[in-house]
Every structure is written in C-alpha cells, then in structure tokens.
C-alpha cells in the first residue's frame, strides 16, 4: 500500500521513518507514470508488511511486526514542485529509495525490472 505525500512536512516526516523509504515522484499527465503505477503498487504490496485485520477466537492474536520492510509513498511533482526540485527530480517517473534520509537508490523512467532490482538491493 502506498501513501500520497501532500506537503513538504509529510515529505520530511517520511524521510525520518526507520528502514527503507521508497518515493515515486510522479505526474498525473505523464503516460510513463501511468504505466508504472500498477507495478509500483504491486511492489508496495509485496514489500510492505500488513497488520492482521481480524483475530479468530480459537487462535491467539499474533504480535504485530516490528515495522514494515519498507514504506512506500507517491508524490505528485505538480502539487509539490519545490519538494521535487529540492529532491533533484528532473524526469518522471523517478523512484527514489532512502535510508536514514539519504538516497540509497534511484530509478528514472518506467523500468519495472530496474525498480525491482533496486528495491531488493536496498532492503
């Protein structure tokens, strides 16, 4: 599951999360962004641990995981152009992986294979 970043403060807060933070810098008018979107969502579902939604009366509840394997976000560059510029985004889509606020991987363009490889390498 991905979360939409809608402010500069949310961007800063996302970068401060523990573990891997993946941000898809996108534009609503950009066809390659539309092409990448379902693959990005699938990668987010694959690499984000989810909490159980219901517990059975016969099975004791399991403790939640310590934290997700990765946190996935989307940021519309037209809504937050200053944030995109500060992040050095020059083309869409650009997916940037961060750890501890530092860039640890980047994929420019709708290259699904490269995106899978970069995320796997950064986990």
């Amino acid at each position: 599951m991905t979360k939409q970043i809608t402010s500069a403060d949310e961007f800063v807060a996302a970068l401060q999360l523990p573990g891997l933070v993946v941000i898809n810098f996108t534009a609503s008018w950009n066809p390659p962004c539309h092409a990448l979107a379902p693959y990005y969502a699938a990668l987010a579902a694959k690499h984000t641990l989810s909490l159980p939604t219901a517990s059975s009366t016969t099975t004791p509840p399991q403790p939640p995981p310590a934290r997700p394997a990765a946190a996935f976000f989307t940021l519309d560059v037209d809504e937050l152009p200053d944030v995109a510029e500060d992040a050095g985004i020059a083309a869409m889509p650009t997916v940037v992986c961060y750890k501890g606020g530092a860039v640890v991987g980047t994929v420019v363009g709708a290259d699904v294979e490269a995106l899978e490889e970069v995320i796997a390498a950064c986990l």
Side-chain angles (χ1 to χ4, degrees):
M1 182 169 160
T2 65
K3 181 182 184 311
Q4 182 75 28
I5 293 175
T6 59
S7 71
D9 289 340
E10 286 182 5
F11 177 74
V12 170
L15 295 184
Q16 295 173 354
L17 292 172
L20 182 64
V21 174
V22 184
I23 302 178
N24 181 14
F25 292 87
T26 186
S28 60
W29 50 265
N30 185 288
C33 292
H34 289 280
L36 182 64
Y39 297 102
Y40 184 75
L43 285 170
K46 177 180 176 182
H47 294 293
T48 301
L49 299 176
S50 59
L51 299 176
T53 56
S55 63
S56 167
T57 56
T58 60
T59 306
Q62 299 298 314
R67 63 179 165 78
F72 286 78
F73 297 90
T74 302
L75 186 148
D76 188 316
V77 300
D78 292 324
E79 292 177 11
L80 298 172
D82 293 341
V83 173
E85 183 178 339
D86 289 347
I89 305 305
M92 281 73 65
T94 295
V95 178
V96 183
C97 298
Y98 298 89
K99 276 190 180 175
V103 175
V104 294
T106 303
V107 176
V108 178
D111 187 339
V112 176
E113 287 181 21
L115 182 57
E116 289 178 1
E117 290 171 5
V118 167
I119 289 172
C122 292
L123 283 173

